[in-house]
Amino acid sequence: MTTAKLETLPETAATQSRWGLAHEMHPGAVEAARQKTRRLVGRVALQTTVQINPVAAELEQSSSTLLGSLRAAVAGDCAAKESVRLNTATNVAEMLYKAGHQTRVELDIVAGKLMQGGKSLTDIQANSLRYSELNDLMRRRTEQELENAHTFEELLGGDVLDTHDAVVFSLSPDDAQTKQKYGFFTETETCSIQLIKKQRHDKLALETALVAGKSHSNAQRHDKAAIEALAARRGVTIELADAEDSLRQVVLVPKADLPNGVSDIVREYDAATKANVFYGQEIDASASRDYQEHAKECELKNKSFDSLVKKVTTQLLEEADTLLSPSAATKRLHKLTEQALVKAAITDSEIDERVFGDQAAMYITRARQETNSGNTEKMLELQQKAVETAVASACPMFFGGESKNSMTEYDPLLMLFGEDKYGSLAFRCPAKNCLNVRSTNQLIESCQGCGASVRC
């Protein structure tokens, strides 16, 4: 850490009070982070390629994975159980909210390392490289996120975070295939704004705000232009060649300019869109835009799901012995969260049913109507259909080569309907992943959910 501090540019009253890019203001710290990232990526690649059994076993038991935390929690480790709960709470928020929401978690500082729920922030990022199937674009994004985690630690060691907060914008990819494969929510083209804020000598806060990258579902994206304009208004030059370029721009902001944390960055983002938006989404001209009040509402929303988080966490712990790999643990967390939230959406109309996919959204809407009519039996039938057809996404991921159109353990519903001379009676359409169930020995031409052609 001292090396990074010596290689940074001298701090003056002028630099402490201005916005800037980390790689320009503190090039030594960023270069040190880049070198650490290259070495770690190389180690991960070697472990993955060689596949040495003892190493693989050690990684699976590591407390830096959800699986490791689950096993430690079952053995009585209270810190590991809290880590599992934090994973579940994060998964709930990421699955439910695609724009107009924010979260805050505390990070511990231990020997110069940033720790989240007892896990090293850099190890958490490295695990995405170890256990996720990533295409070239997503691998580059993940490696850059790992470099950013190292950069935060270098800035911390150089005392930069005593005077500045660090801000990173993560945009939805430009590539349509990547967005579809990894579950990015195209209705909003969500942009994640992360803020690292030092609280005291042993604590940092990681605040994340989700804003829309376009004002409504049919609008053109405004996210890149907004970020460039936001920076320009503060004397910083950012020119984004593509969506991924935003991750390479760690913006340093004087603490005095962000008294309300990430909400203040959201305010600047909205102002830079030159449109009547709130968290990037179009609103009526007369609508309130109280950012501080909205932040409080987000905090209350997060707390309102505490009982659901506890229920999912408990079930995940009960199933820990059946989960044999880190990816299996992540999949199961995703599925349990999805099921619980679909059921919650039936009685909570504030949950946006669209996040579960078009077909599940239809069943949720109808189930709400039956609930209002007092028809419990019909509601439960529709609720089950919503659970079976939900295709929600949390942190963008692709489950190890599996396709939601294939008959896998992740989509067991298709195996329940049997086969005939044409093949499986149940299938999902390639357009919107809708579930179709045809009669024996009869073909259908149009998707039963969205109407797309399924003749082939």
Side-chain angles (χ1 to χ4, degrees):
M1 293 299 179
T2 54
T3 301
K5 184 176 181 180
L6 290 172
E7 291 178 354
T8 59
L9 297 179
E11 284 285 356
T12 65
T15 57
Q16 289 180 4
S17 63
R18 71 176 175 86
W19 293 44
L21 296 173
H23 67 265
E24 294 177 351
M25 296 177 70
H26 303 281
V30 174
E31 180 57 29
R34 186 168 294 127
Q35 293 300 326
K36 286 185 177 182
T37 301
R38 287 174 180 168
R39 290 194 292 270
L40 181 51
V41 169
R43 289 198 300 272
V44 170
L46 180 62
Q47 293 163 353
T48 304
T49 302
V50 177
Q51 293 183 339
I52 304 173
N53 287 337
V55 174
E58 180 183 351
L59 289 173
E60 289 191 3
Q61 295 289 345
S62 170
S63 63
S64 65
T65 68
L66 174 60
L67 180 62
S69 295
L70 281 168
R71 290 175 175 171
V74 170
D77 188 327
C78 294
K81 185 174 182 180
E82 173 59 19
S83 178
V84 175
R85 188 203 66 80
L86 181 61
N87 267 273
T88 304
T90 301
N91 205 55
V92 167
E94 290 177 344
M95 190 174 291
L96 271 185
Y97 305 112
K98 308 305 180 184
H101 194 67
Q102 61 192 61
T103 59
R104 182 182 184 278
V105 297
E106 281 198 342
L107 303 179
D108 296 312
I109 304 171
V110 180
K113 298 285 290 181
L114 299 184
M115 309 292 290
Q116 180 178 348
K119 304 176 185 181
S120 163
L121 197 59
T122 53
D123 280 348
I124 292 172
Q125 291 296 340
N127 282 336
S128 295
L129 296 173
R130 290 185 178 109
Y131 303 121
S132 301
E133 181 173 319
L134 304 170
N135 66 12
D136 289 343
L137 188 151
M138 289 300 292
R139 177 165 291 276
R140 290 196 301 271
R141 286 175 69 105
T142 303
E143 290 179 0
Q144 185 59 52
E145 290 168 347
L146 175 57
E147 181 181 314
N148 288 347
H150 277 130
T151 298
F152 300 148
E153 292 181 346
E154 293 294 322
L155 294 173
L156 175 68
D159 296 334
V160 177
L161 298 184
D162 290 343
T163 58
H164 288 73
D165 297 334
V167 178
V168 178
F169 299 90
S170 178
L171 275 62
S172 172
D174 295 321
D175 181 63
Q177 289 184 335
T178 296
K179 284 191 283 194
Q180 180 180 16
K181 183 175 182 179
Y182 291 89
F184 288 88
F185 194 62
T186 56
E187 290 287 320
T188 55
E189 297 288 5
T190 304
C191 168
S192 170
I193 304 175
Q194 286 193 325
L195 180 142
I196 292 283
K197 188 180 192 73
K198 187 175 181 181
Q199 303 288 87
R200 56 180 194 265
H201 75 282
D202 62 343
K203 293 286 184 183
L204 278 85
L206 170 60
E207 298 182 6
T208 304
L210 301 177
V211 299
K214 54 185 182 181
S215 57
H216 56 83
S217 60
N218 296 321
Q220 295 295 313
R221 288 178 65 164
H222 60 238
D223 44 8
K224 289 185 203 144
I227 292 169
E228 291 173 348
L230 181 161
R233 292 171 59 180
R234 293 292 187 165
V236 180
T237 300
I238 292 179
E239 295 179 355
L240 299 179
D242 52 38
E244 284 60 58
D245 203 21
S246 65
L247 284 167
R248 293 185 279 272
Q249 317 297 323
V250 178
V251 184
L252 298 177
V253 182
K255 286 181 172 295
D257 290 347
L258 301 178
N260 304 303
V262 75
S263 296
D264 291 324
I265 295 293
V266 175
R267 186 197 306 271
E268 301 242 0
Y269 175 88
D270 284 346
T273 64
K274 299 179 181 179
N276 196 44
V277 296
F278 188 61
Y279 282 73
Q281 294 181 299
E282 188 176 54
I283 59 171
D284 294 332
S286 59
S288 171
R289 290 194 291 184
D290 189 325
Y291 291 87
Q292 288 176 262
E293 185 61 31
H294 187 76
K296 294 177 183 177
E297 291 174 2
C298 290
E299 185 176 358
L300 291 175
K301 283 182 182 178
N302 292 330
K303 290 180 179 178
S304 71
F305 287 98
D306 282 352
S307 61
L308 185 147
V309 168
K310 182 179 180 180
K311 181 178 180 180
V312 172
T313 299
T314 299
Q315 186 169 352
L316 197 60
L317 288 168
E318 289 174 351
E319 298 180 9
D321 290 342
T322 68
L323 304 172
L324 304 180
S325 69
S327 59
T330 303
K331 290 179 193 179
R332 192 56 181 155
L333 169 61
H334 180 93
K335 197 61 182 176
L336 291 175
T337 303
E338 182 182 75
Q339 291 172 347
L341 287 176
V342 166
K343 293 176 182 179
I346 305 298
T347 55
D348 186 350
S349 60
E350 290 190 6
I351 294 178
D352 186 349
E353 66 281 356
R354 296 178 302 167
V355 303
F356 302 106
D358 289 346
Q359 191 165 16
M362 175 188 69
Y363 288 131
I364 290 170
T365 300
R366 290 172 55 191
R368 287 170 175 171
Q369 294 169 346
E370 297 298 340
T371 298
N372 293 334
S373 300
N375 191 341
T376 303
E377 183 177 353
K378 185 64 175 178
M379 180 276 289
L380 291 174
E381 177 187 333
L382 292 165
Q383 175 180 274
Q384 183 60 29
K385 289 182 178 179
V387 167
E388 292 167 350
T389 57
V391 287
S393 64
C395 181
M397 63 182 70
F398 178 63
F399 288 122
E402 297 176 3
S403 166
K404 290 178 182 177
N405 295 323
S406 64
M407 291 175 62
T408 68
E409 63 171 352
Y410 189 63
D411 196 356
L413 177 66
L414 303 186
M415 293 183 263
L416 301 178
F417 294 92
E419 298 180 344
D420 61 10
K421 64 182 180 180
Y422 297 115
S424 174
L425 294 176
F427 64 93
R428 294 193 182 277
C429 87
K432 293 189 176 181
N433 205 42
C434 307
L435 176 67
N436 288 262
V437 181
R438 58 184 180 79
S439 301
T440 304
N441 297 327
Q442 292 185 17
L443 296 176
I444 59 176
E445 295 191 356
S446 300
C447 172
Q448 297 163 341
C450 66
S453 173
V454 292
R455 291 184 64 185
C456 296

